[in-house]
Amino acid sequence: MCVCVASKNLPERVKIVEVGPRDGLQNEKTIVPAETKIHLIDMLSDSGLPVIEATSFVSPKWVPQMADQVEVMKGISRKPGVSYPVLTPNLKGFQAAVKAGATEVAIFGAASELFSKKNINCSVDESLQRFEEVMKAAKEANVPVRGYVSCVLGCPYEGKVAPGKVAHVAKRLYSMGCYEISLGDTIGVGTPGGMTEMLEAVSREVPVSALAVHCHDTYGQALANILIALQMGISVVDSSVAGLGGCPYAQGASGNVATEDVVYMMHGLGIHTGVDLSKLMDAGAFICRSLNRKTNSKVAQATCKL
Amino acid sequence: MGNIPTTVKHCLSYEQLIRDYPWLKRLLLEEKSIAAHEYPEFVKVVEVGPRDGLQNEKEIVPTGVKIQLIDMLSGTGLPVIEATSFVSSKWVPQMADHTDVLKGIQRAPHVQYPVLTPNMHGFQDAVAAGATEVAVFGSASETFSRKNINCSIEESMLRFEEVISAAKEHQIPVRGYVSCALGCPHEGYIEPSKVAEVAKRLYEMGCYEVSLGDTIGVGTPGSMAKMLRSVMEDVPSSALAVHCHDTYGQALANILIALQMGVCVVDSAVAGLGGCPYAQGSSGNVSTEDVLYMLHGMGIETGVDLAKVIEVGDFICNALCRKTNSRVAQARGRTSGHALL
């Protein structure tokens, strides 16, 4: 058995995309006041995170947590050099987002037909057609668009998802003009084996430099999956402060991987993130107090008691 | 392109080559994946829940429960289950019933039940109680050694030499542990060369396997790789195991790196039993369930039935009135049944 040099092939820098204020809070039961969201985002801006997903311009009927989208967008103190993308599921959402001052947006595709139907009530192809409108408008407005692919390592309805299908959707989003594609293990079932297979398929269609991984920690596999992704050339990782956001498909189980734990691993590997871990933990402590819940971050649990 | 001399072709840019030969890119990518990591086909999972796990639980667990725990674990396919510890009950009250436990368990064929034996006294008691495998614990940190077992590393090695010598006479295999392999609660950073020195000593004294423990869970894949490279200069990878604590959530990533480097023995504790005594309220041992989930998902055989381990985890957590530390158990316990495995 050959002894691999672990640090070989790892990126020097990794961009952390903080999804706590959107993906995280969206999956929390407690409705958080706009002020708290704004303060959270401001604290995250202060920690050195380069990208913070601020909110979502979906109908409040579907996602009540994001009803204060305009107030949040207008209320945050934007730090120079930091991006604040927002979700825009359709043209209406896009227009509202731009009006509220958004300078980057994100769209969501699924690698599973059933998930697409159940989640947004249309097929994968139909959803991509809707997004064409958003892409067109975004191009005209000079607004960069990030694409997400969900269920890349498994679907709560379909079970296994073919890597080829993930590659197909990723390629579509990339060719439509998304500057980056975030590959989401939506139910956290993936392991390093599946991650490798999936990334191999996707990287044949989309350059690795345009890919990100969005791992859920529902089965504790997130950091191992992220490590494998880094070894395969990925240098953008999504995570959520304090591991906010449970898994809606496995009640009580964890969801997003905690940013603190990701940053701890990166720094331990000598990878530059630009993030100040202790400021990040302050932000995590703040939002957990506001939500009256314990952190899902092991680093936060360990260090607060030493 | 076919008529152009090779030398000229070599001067052309990669981009141009890809444009002219689109199939070439696919070949190159395939080569990249062939050079990707090799993993062992089989990983031996060493279950330390009944000893290392329970030792760090506050509640004193009745002997009957310990025995039932071990018997249930014996039915899961786990090949090694660390049953108890022959330390003085003054130091580790949880292990006071060591003799009763060892005598009370139903030993499954093909399963090993090592017990900790810190000194000759403990070894003799262990043998009298029927032990057929023992373990000794060294440390890579002087301060930790002094604070934990009240003697220097060198003094502890002399004690272990006695034990190993006696074990040889009884034909009892001995497993060695090195604690603080990736960091010490007192000294902080630990030099990989120190870990290598202690591991080599234990191996050369006669330990058939040396388990390298990230006692406070501070390690990351970078420090794990560095430490393993150093240790593997003197101890073959086939004689190494990793014992990762999940206090900072790094355990599975650390285990993954170790597997990539040729280690094929992993220690873990059912339900992630055992908190970290140095970071109160934090998690300690990595959960056997989460380790198995990863290994099986990677196509690595372990011989262990994950569903049965989850049941055992449920049992011991009920007995301890505590929640599991295993994410897999948490997810499985509440899912509507969509899991792929």
Side-chain angles (χ1 to χ4, degrees):
Chain A
M1 195 81 60
C2 73
V3 175
C4 302
V5 179
S7 54
K8 195 169 64 168
N9 300 331
L10 290 180
E12 277 178 18
R13 315 180 88 86
V14 161
K15 178 174 82 173
I16 307 260
V17 174
E18 172 59 48
V19 300
R22 202 280 309 166
D23 191 9
L25 291 183
Q26 187 168 299
N27 286 305
E28 290 288 326
K29 287 183 190 164
T30 320
I31 299 287
V32 172
E35 247 169 57
T36 307
K37 287 182 179 118
I38 289 166
H39 191 57
L40 171 65
I41 293 169
D42 288 348
M43 286 183 85
L44 291 169
S45 296
D46 201 40
S47 72
L49 285 157
V51 185
I52 301 163
E53 203 176 57
T55 185
S56 178
F57 282 79
V58 289
S59 160
K61 209 172 44 173
W62 299 119
V63 187
Q65 180 76 276
M66 301 285 132
D68 52 10
Q69 59 212 198
V70 176
E71 201 185 331
V72 167
M73 209 56 212
K74 290 187 168 173
I76 57 175
S77 300
R78 291 174 186 248
K79 191 173 175 195
V82 180
S83 291
Y84 299 91
V86 299
L87 243 68
T88 51
N90 48 40
L91 192 56
K92 182 165 163 220
F94 176 79
Q95 286 157 347
V98 170
K99 196 163 164 208
T103 48
E104 182 178 325
V105 301
I107 59 177
F108 253 88
S112 152
E113 284 296 344
L114 261 176
F115 188 84
S116 187
K117 290 219 161 72
K118 295 221 178 204
N119 211 36
I120 52 174
N121 214 17
C122 63
S123 73
V124 172
D125 274 336
E126 283 165 349
S127 73
L128 292 174
Q129 273 164 20
R130 274 186 209 172
F131 295 141
E132 293 266 8
E133 291 190 307
V134 175
M135 293 304 310
K136 190 162 168 237
K139 264 184 202 140
E140 282 168 22
N142 250 332
V143 171
V145 183
R146 188 184 208 233
Y148 280 93
V149 183
S150 49
C151 296
V152 302
L153 295 177
C155 169
Y157 312 107
E158 285 185 13
K160 275 198 163 168
V161 175
K165 182 74 182 181
V166 182
H168 168 77
V169 179
K171 184 179 180 180
R172 275 294 291 277
L173 289 168
Y174 186 66
S175 337
M176 281 188 339
C178 292
Y179 76 92
E180 193 169 89
I181 312 294
S182 174
L183 305 165
D185 180 12
T186 306
I187 47 171
V189 288
T191 60
M195 174 64 88
T196 304
E197 228 191 346
M198 184 275 296
L199 285 178
E200 273 170 2
V202 177
S203 60
R204 285 190 198 115
E205 309 293 346
V206 180
V208 151
S209 54
L211 293 175
V213 289
H214 183 113
C215 298
H216 278 197
D217 205 35
T218 320
Y219 288 76
Q221 309 294 305
L223 284 192
N225 290 341
I226 289 168
L227 180 63
I228 274 283
L230 295 179
Q231 290 176 339
M232 292 181 75
I234 302 286
S235 57
V236 185
V237 175
D238 298 1
S239 58
S240 174
V241 64
L244 286 183
C247 177
Y249 304 96
Q251 223 195 349
S254 58
N256 284 300
V257 68
T259 307
E260 297 91 317
D261 299 1
V262 171
V263 169
Y264 184 92
M265 182 172 82
M266 298 292 162
H267 292 181
L269 282 165
I271 294 173
H272 184 264
T273 64
V275 179
D276 180 332
L277 180 54
S278 68
K279 286 186 175 172
L280 178 63
M281 292 203 296
D282 287 343
F286 162 74
I287 193 61
C288 288
R289 273 196 308 271
S290 313
L291 287 166
N292 200 21
R293 61 160 277 178
K294 282 188 183 160
T295 181
N296 265 342
S297 156
K298 294 234 168 149
V299 169
Q301 284 165 23
T303 45
C304 75
K305 276 133 185 148
L306 272 175
Chain B
M1 271 286 274
N3 293 326
I4 296 174
T6 324
T7 40
V8 177
K9 275 186 207 169
H10 287 168
C11 295
L12 295 172
S13 70
Y14 172 79
E15 280 75 27
Q16 193 159 346
L17 268 174
I18 295 301
R19 272 199 296 275
D20 293 331
Y21 297 89
W23 48 264
L24 188 61
K25 193 175 184 186
R26 205 152 283 137
L27 237 196
L28 292 170
L29 282 166
E30 271 161 11
E31 275 177 36
K32 186 181 172 190
S33 67
I34 288 163
H37 304 284
E38 281 178 18
Y39 294 101
E41 279 179 13
F42 180 88
V43 162
K44 179 174 82 173
V45 177
V46 174
E47 172 60 43
V48 300
R51 201 281 308 165
D52 191 11
L54 292 184
Q55 187 168 300
N56 286 305
E57 292 287 327
K58 288 185 188 160
E59 297 277 327
I60 299 289
V61 175
T63 308
V65 173
K66 286 185 182 118
I67 289 170
Q68 197 179 349
L69 169 65
I70 295 168
D71 288 347
M72 288 180 81
L73 288 167
S74 296
T76 63
L78 282 159
V80 185
I81 301 164
E82 203 177 58
T84 186
S85 179
F86 283 79
V87 289
S88 159
S89 49
K90 209 173 49 177
W91 300 119
V92 187
Q94 181 75 276
M95 301 285 130
D97 54 4
H98 39 63
T99 301
D100 289 338
V101 168
L102 202 49
K103 287 187 167 172
I105 57 174
Q106 312 242 18
R107 292 170 184 251
H110 313 302
V111 181
Q112 298 300 321
Y113 300 91
V115 298
L116 245 66
T117 51
N119 48 40
M120 271 310 286
H121 182 66
F123 176 77
Q124 283 154 353
D125 285 349
V127 172
T132 49
E133 184 177 321
V134 299
V136 295
F137 249 88
S139 171
S141 153
E142 277 297 346
T143 316
F144 189 83
S145 187
R146 280 179 208 279
K147 293 209 178 216
N148 210 38
I149 52 174
N150 216 15
C151 63
S152 70
I153 296 176
E154 183 56 36
E155 284 163 346
S156 73
M157 292 295 134
L158 294 172
R159 277 184 210 172
F160 300 148
E161 251 173 2
E162 273 195 278
V163 171
I164 293 172
S165 178
K168 268 188 196 136
E169 281 169 27
H170 283 85
Q171 291 194 338
I172 288 178
V174 183
R175 189 186 208 230
Y177 280 93
V178 182
S179 53
C180 297
L182 296 178
C184 169
H186 314 292
E187 287 183 20
Y189 178 73
I190 296 290
E191 283 291 341
S193 56
K194 187 69 188 181
V195 183
E197 191 189 305
V198 178
K200 181 182 180 183
R201 211 43 210 280
L202 288 167
Y203 184 66
E204 288 176 349
M205 284 194 320
C207 292
Y208 76 90
E209 192 169 272
V210 179
S211 174
L212 306 164
D214 182 12
T215 305
I216 47 171
V218 289
T220 59
S223 56
M224 172 64 85
K226 223 170 140 190
M227 183 274 293
L228 284 176
R229 267 198 299 277
S230 190
V231 174
M232 283 176 184
E233 280 171 22
D234 297 308
V235 183
S237 63
S238 54
L240 291 175
V242 288
H243 183 112
C244 298
H245 279 197
D246 204 35
T247 321
Y248 289 77
Q250 310 294 306
L252 285 192
N254 292 343
I255 289 167
L256 182 66
I257 273 284
L259 296 176
Q260 289 176 353
M261 292 180 73
V263 173
C264 48
V265 184
V266 175
D267 298 0
S268 59
V270 62
L273 286 182
C276 178
Y278 302 96
Q280 222 194 350
S282 302
S283 59
N285 284 300
V286 68
S287 314
T288 303
E289 298 92 317
D290 299 2
V291 170
L292 290 172
Y293 186 93
M294 181 173 82
L295 296 174
H296 293 176
M298 292 168 68
I300 295 172
E301 298 275 347
T302 61
V304 185
D305 183 331
L306 172 55
K308 287 188 175 166
V309 176
I310 294 175
E311 275 172 28
V312 182
D314 283 344
F315 161 75
I316 192 61
C317 287
N318 280 334
L320 288 166
C321 291
R322 59 158 280 177
K323 284 187 183 164
T324 181
N325 268 340
S326 157
R327 298 262 208 224
V328 169
Q330 284 165 21
R332 286 290 187 82
R334 291 166 180 92
T335 198
S336 47
H338 61 71
L340 299 179
L341 295 182

